[in-house]
Amino acid sequence: MSFLQNNIYYIGAFGLILIGLLIVLVKHNLIKVIIGLSIMDTGINLFLIAIGYLRNGTAPIFSSPEVESVLMVDPVPQALVLTAIVIGVAVLALALSLAIRLYKHFGTLDLRKIKELKW
Amino acid sequence: MRSVFSLILLVVIGAGVVFTLSSIPFGSTSSDVGEYYIDSGRADTGATNIVTSVVVGYRAFDTLGEVTVLFVAAIGLGAILAAGRENEEKKKAEWEPASLVLYTGCRFLFPLILLFGAYVFIHGHLTPGGGFQGGAIIASAFLMVYLGCRKKRISKTWARNTESISGLVFVVTGLTGLAVGGHYFLSNFLPEGTLNTLFSAGIIPIIYIAIGLKVGSELTGVIDDLIEESE
Amino acid sequence: MVNPVLLIAVPLGLAFMVPLIDSASRKLTRFVPVAALMFNLILCIRLIPAVLENPIVINLGGFTPPFGINLFVGPLGLLFAGLISLAGLVVSIYSLSYIKNGPVVKYHMLYMLLLTGATGVVLTGDLFNLFVFFEILCISSYALVAYHGDRAGIESSIKYLIQGTVGSGLLLIGIGFIYGIFGTLNMADIAMKIATVEQSTLFVPMILMVAGLGVESAIFPLNAWLPDAHSSAPSSISAILSGIAIEVGLYAVARIVFTVFGISDIYLFFAFLGILTLLIGEMCAFAQSNIKRMLAYSSIGQIGLILFALALATNNTVTGGLFQLVNHTISKGLLFLSAGYMIYRSGSMEISSLNGMGKRMPLTSLAFTVGAFSLVGLPPFAGFPGKFLIVSGALLKGQMVINILVGLVLLSTVIEGTYFFRVIQALYFKDGNGERKRAPATAVTAMITLMILIVALGVYPKFLADFLSSASSDLLDKMSYVGSVLK
């Protein structure tokens, strides 16, 4: 039980990443694939945050001059996640706009039916 | 067949990950770099939110790249949607007007949300929050107006120019640092002020305001493009 | 001294400014990329003497590494930055007349940002910063592949996006692991600390990062997106994707494998991977009847060859590999640019529709021929010294396995020669109808510039080879990299 308690964030993070990857690999609907990518992104963000976590730590913010700098979590992964979230949003927006166009052209989002370029 | 292969691949990845994670115990890792930031972040950058001092101070160049990523995505989305739209005739769908309660509620909330967004990015160096968060809040205000007041539209030129000018402010601030502030790109050339006050942390508030405006107008532009597409 | 950070800051600032310029004057926006890349090219040339003496390390924001982000401008980085601005400048001149329809302003902005992202990747000394710039490069190329908004473009763009996003996800997980293990993101700092942990721990992060970057750099088996994306993008973008984007991906792989990890046991594996990529690329190219797909597969093959040369990790082969890389950027650029106008005239991408082009478009056909000869590696052109250096350097190693691989390289050159001569035969020795017409002046300027470069590099290879030799020691000498960043 203590194994689960100690590693619950890692398990959750990689659970999300692997679920996302599985969706990308086996699903045929483009929207589902995009959702899979998004789940994977979320998992990665959780993983990065978990890397920098310190047990019983607080946020690294000195909101008043009295706050002491003991037991603060690592600020670097948080900064990285901020960047990673923005990049995720950017890719998501682009993917959805492509999905709109794809639907206009092909009338379907089923990736099995969109195979004109295979030789 | 495909799903069996995928599962095998995932199991392999999972096994590798478990193996590597065993050398990174959870909840006790502390890095030299992270500790340095916590100890001297306030003295180096003047920001009391250490995450901000990392995002806009130590790793400001990343943030410049990040802003650019969002910019690229917004332009890319516009380009993709515009490319297909050219050879289609425009047909205007008639929208049913929103009810009075919804309309008034949106108009009432709109300035308050804007104010909140501005608060979040102006106080980025003191409290949790910052340019990206504030920008997203501002864009959500516009999204609400689009959904609730239906016929209202923002001016595209206005949004594009805000985006453009605030992006320029970021780059020019960096270049000013290169010119006067110790010859480094993005270095702080303004006085750091007193900790925990609004006018402190040198260039950090300036950059965060620029980012807030940029992200706000960019996401609004994205929403605008997508809504135009649905008409 | 000029500051190398301007290579990134100035194009970025100009790209942000484009909407403002656009509202002032419509016509001016087309020339912004030309101006930005001209500026970058001049800056690169001015930096050469200083960089050859000592690599320039710039601490951004004034924070010393590993606390701040630093740029590392060594001969290798400068070579890539120069190549990006050179190819970018030529293609941006070509685009002036080639891109007429669609959201033109957005095209020029995306184009400029793509090249800025590429410049950032090759200059940065920070792992996460590399990821961010890599994303700029990738996202702008997803959008540019779909620029025309036609069926093929959208379909290949979405395929590219899905594979690229999974790739960058893997890269980010790898970076997360590295941060967890070493507590730092600075590449020099990691390289210094790499010996303090067991090699087996580093295996998974390295695989994840190489796989993530491998998607963009088209290493087999991660290159399924490439033929589609490169063939359905506008030709000017195909030239940049083939000539710049995959090379930059390869640079990132090489930097991470050589400088950051530096575990020499796995180099032979990469050599095998390179040969496999080479053979598959060339054989698929042989089977194509669509000219742009043929060129795209040929890019896969060339990347395999360059990877093979880099993986042998001796000064000679790396110099040869980099020479081949420069040659590939210029010749493949020339091939795509000339094919672009031939396709524009004939209205079809089939090789058979190019029959008799030698009479209808003499200059464009000549450009295609020069590019093809150079890529195959015929003597008076730039391809010869590169392949010669790779083969002779590999044979010098004197290992049986590598000799066999060199045999395969020569075999692939024969395949490459065959399919290019098939096209050239169609251009000159088959009859086709249609009137004689010139390409526009801007396109002609671009193609002639590249042709002159190819011939010049082929006749005076020593000029470039000396610079490449110091670039290859920049790549292989891990200790001096660490030393110059963490003073």
Side-chain angles (χ1 to χ4, degrees):
Chain A
M1 205 56 206
S2 73
F3 171 78
L4 201 64
Q5 264 174 359
N6 285 338
N7 296 295
I8 188 73
Y9 288 93
Y10 283 158
I11 295 168
F14 278 97
L16 284 176
I17 292 172
L18 293 180
I19 290 170
L21 261 180
L22 186 69
I23 293 175
V24 174
L25 288 172
V26 301
K27 288 289 173 188
H28 298 290
N29 187 315
L30 182 58
I31 295 292
K32 287 184 186 166
V33 171
I34 292 172
I35 292 174
L37 291 175
S38 195
I39 292 176
M40 190 179 148
D41 257 357
T42 314
I44 295 170
N45 294 341
L46 186 56
F47 168 60
L48 288 176
I49 285 286
I51 285 267
Y53 183 68
L54 206 60
R55 215 169 284 280
N56 301 325
T58 60
I61 297 172
F62 298 92
S63 41
S64 63
E66 300 88 54
V67 179
E68 301 266 334
S69 70
V70 282
L71 270 183
M72 280 187 170
V73 299
D74 193 343
V76 181
Q78 309 212 357
L80 303 189
V81 166
L82 187 60
T83 309
I85 289 174
V86 172
I87 290 174
V89 167
V91 173
L92 194 64
L94 203 65
L96 288 174
S97 73
L98 282 170
I100 293 174
R101 277 282 152 259
L102 200 72
Y103 189 77
K104 279 241 162 98
H105 280 302
F106 291 85
T108 175
L109 287 172
D110 192 334
L111 291 174
R112 278 171 301 185
K113 290 182 186 152
I114 304 169
K115 275 190 176 165
E116 286 187 2
L117 289 175
K118 275 257 168 74
W119 53 281
Chain B
M1 202 54 202
R2 190 169 160 185
S3 46
V4 175
F5 274 123
S6 315
L7 273 177
I8 294 171
L9 181 71
L10 293 190
V11 169
V12 172
I13 294 177
V17 162
V18 169
F19 173 72
T20 313
L21 278 180
S22 61
S23 62
I24 315 172
F26 174 72
S28 56
T29 39
S30 61
S31 70
D32 302 343
V33 177
E35 266 166 26
Y36 172 83
Y37 289 156
I38 290 175
D39 290 338
S40 42
R42 282 174 296 177
D44 279 357
T45 62
T48 51
N49 180 348
I50 301 298
V51 179
T52 297
S53 79
V54 175
V55 170
V56 198
Y58 297 105
R59 302 188 68 87
F61 200 57
D62 265 357
T63 308
L64 182 59
E66 185 183 354
V67 170
T68 315
V69 169
L70 202 58
F71 185 61
V72 169
I75 306 167
L77 182 132
I80 290 168
L81 292 182
R85 205 181 292 143
E86 266 176 0
N87 33 19
E88 271 171 33
E89 76 270 27
K90 267 263 178 211
K91 48 174 192 279
K92 275 269 176 220
E94 270 305 308
W95 290 80
E96 203 182 319
S99 73
L100 185 64
V101 176
L102 198 56
Y103 189 76
T104 319
C106 286
R107 285 182 43 154
F108 174 70
L109 279 177
F110 177 69
L112 296 181
I113 299 179
L114 280 194
L115 192 67
F116 178 54
Y119 169 81
V120 168
F121 66 67
I122 290 172
H123 289 76
H125 54 299
L126 303 174
T127 55
F132 293 96
Q133 296 89 325
I137 292 171
I138 286 185
S140 75
F142 283 100
L143 175 62
M144 188 189 66
V145 169
Y146 273 112
L147 294 178
C149 310
R150 296 248 161 118
K151 290 234 174 83
K152 289 233 182 297
R153 287 283 176 274
I154 51 149
S155 143
K156 270 223 160 113
T157 353
W158 184 84
R160 219 181 307 133
N161 288 349
T162 316
E163 189 181 327
S164 183
I165 289 169
S166 44
L168 264 184
V169 168
F170 196 160
V171 176
V172 168
T173 313
L175 288 176
T176 317
L178 184 66
V180 298
H183 304 288
Y184 290 109
F185 186 65
L186 281 171
S187 62
N188 190 2
F189 56 89
L190 293 175
E192 277 176 14
T194 335
L195 284 177
N196 291 76
T197 54
L198 186 57
F199 291 97
S200 64
I203 60 169
I204 288 179
I206 297 175
I207 291 180
Y208 249 172
I209 290 170
I211 292 176
L213 290 175
K214 189 167 168 60
V215 172
S217 48
E218 240 155 31
L219 291 180
T220 310
V222 167
I223 292 167
D224 188 63
D225 279 338
L226 285 173
I227 286 193
E228 216 167 79
E229 184 61 27
S230 70
E231 274 173 357
Chain C
M1 194 191 75
V2 279
N3 197 316
V5 80
L6 295 177
L7 287 174
I8 299 168
V10 169
L12 209 54
L14 279 174
F16 286 151
M17 225 156 77
V18 166
L20 293 178
I21 299 173
D22 185 43
S23 45
S25 151
R26 264 262 125 133
K27 281 186 185 151
L28 218 57
T29 40
R30 296 189 301 159
F31 297 99
V32 175
V34 180
L37 292 160
M38 187 90 85
F39 172 82
N40 268 15
L41 190 62
I42 292 169
L43 204 62
C44 284
I45 292 170
R46 280 198 55 189
L47 281 169
I48 290 175
V51 167
L52 276 181
E53 244 167 66
N54 267 318
I56 306 172
V57 178
I58 302 286
N59 301 333
L60 295 163
F63 303 105
T64 50
F67 302 116
I69 294 173
N70 69 293
L71 295 185
F72 181 87
V73 192
L76 186 67
L78 192 66
L79 167 76
F80 271 91
L83 207 56
I84 291 166
S85 23
L86 177 71
L89 178 63
V90 171
V91 176
S92 68
I93 292 173
Y94 178 89
S95 309
L96 287 179
S97 57
Y98 184 74
I99 298 291
K100 285 196 228 74
N101 307 319
V104 181
V105 177
K106 293 196 168 84
Y107 169 89
H108 289 298
M109 281 157 93
L110 286 171
Y111 176 78
M112 216 150 71
L113 290 167
L114 190 157
L115 294 175
T116 314
T119 314
V121 171
V122 298
L123 294 185
T124 187
D126 187 278
L127 218 46
F128 191 76
N129 200 237
L130 186 139
F131 169 76
V132 172
F133 279 107
F134 208 73
E135 282 298 303
I136 298 178
L137 170 67
C138 290
I139 295 178
S140 45
S141 39
Y142 306 149
L144 281 171
V145 167
Y147 177 74
H148 282 324
D150 53 343
R151 288 167 81 101
I154 299 283
E155 181 189 342
S156 50
S157 172
I158 196 86
K159 280 182 186 167
Y160 183 14
L161 184 138
I162 292 169
Q163 296 181 27
T165 309
V166 172
S168 42
L170 296 181
L171 174 62
L172 193 53
I173 300 172
I175 291 173
F177 274 130
I178 292 291
Y179 185 78
I181 295 169
F182 296 104
T184 174
L185 289 166
N186 189 286
M187 299 206 295
D189 202 22
I190 298 167
M192 194 180 67
K193 290 177 179 164
I194 209 99
T196 59
V197 291
E198 265 184 70
Q199 279 195 3
S200 59
T201 326
L202 298 172
F203 184 68
V204 174
M206 192 178 75
I207 292 293
L208 286 172
M209 286 165 79
V210 170
L213 292 167
V215 173
E216 185 66 13
S217 53
I219 297 170
F220 181 80
L222 305 166
N223 49 18
W225 59 270
L226 188 139
D228 295 348
H230 286 205
S231 60
S232 38
S235 288
S236 51
I237 294 306
S238 309
I240 286 297
L241 289 182
S242 265
I244 299 292
I246 50 180
E247 271 84 351
V248 167
L250 199 65
Y251 163 88
V253 173
R255 196 43 116 192
I256 282 174
V257 170
F258 284 118
T259 308
V260 177
F261 287 102
I263 302 169
S264 54
D265 308 343
I266 53 162
Y267 292 172
L268 195 62
F269 168 72
F270 280 100
F272 275 111
L273 213 57
I275 289 295
L276 203 59
T277 314
L278 170 64
L279 287 175
I280 288 174
E282 299 295 12
M283 281 189 301
C284 290
F286 186 76
Q288 297 304 315
S289 63
N290 174 327
I291 183 148
K292 278 182 84 175
R293 282 182 87 83
M294 186 191 95
L295 293 176
Y297 275 113
S298 146
S299 295
I300 296 180
Q302 293 288 326
I303 282 295
L305 179 62
I306 297 165
L307 179 67
F308 168 71
L310 296 184
L312 294 181
T314 64
N315 204 340
N316 273 342
T317 56
V318 174
T319 308
L322 291 175
F323 206 111
Q324 184 63 12
L325 192 147
V326 173
N327 170 45
H328 178 237
T329 301
I330 299 173
S331 339
K332 196 47 78 56
L334 182 59
L335 284 170
F336 268 119
L337 296 188
S338 50
Y341 260 102
M342 291 199 273
I343 292 165
Y344 184 71
R345 285 275 174 267
S346 69
S348 158
M349 292 194 200
E350 294 301 309
I351 292 175
S352 55
S353 71
L354 301 180
N355 286 351
M357 271 292 176
K359 297 202 184 68
R360 280 143 73 195
M361 305 181 78
L363 193 90
T364 316
S365 304
L366 178 70
F368 190 91
T369 314
V370 170
F373 282 172
S374 176
L375 212 57
V376 174
L378 292 184
F381 302 111
F384 178 69
K387 276 197 179 163
F388 181 76
L389 276 170
I390 295 174
V391 170
S392 61
L395 290 177
L396 267 182
K397 284 202 107 175
Q399 288 172 21
M400 197 58 207
V401 191
I402 291 174
N403 289 351
I404 295 171
L405 294 183
V406 170
L408 292 175
V409 169
L410 296 177
L411 173 72
S412 75
T413 305
V414 174
I415 303 175
E416 198 175 28
T418 321
Y419 64 75
F420 272 123
F421 282 119
R422 208 177 58 201
V423 180
I424 292 165
Q425 191 197 13
L427 289 180
Y428 287 105
F429 302 109
K430 284 188 181 163
D431 290 331
N433 37 15
E435 58 197 275
R436 195 188 161 109
K437 223 171 174 187
R438 277 188 87 115
T442 49
V444 171
T445 319
M447 288 189 282
I448 288 182
T449 316
L450 289 178
M451 277 200 278
I452 290 172
L453 271 173
I454 287 175
V455 175
L457 289 180
V459 179
Y460 299 105
K462 191 158 168 35
F463 178 69
L464 182 65
D466 287 346
F467 185 73
L468 292 181
S469 167
S470 53
S472 80
S473 51
D474 174 9
L475 185 62
L476 295 173
D477 191 356
K478 184 174 158 174
M479 282 303 105
S480 71
Y481 181 90
V482 175
S484 50
V485 175
L486 304 170
K487 283 190 191 92

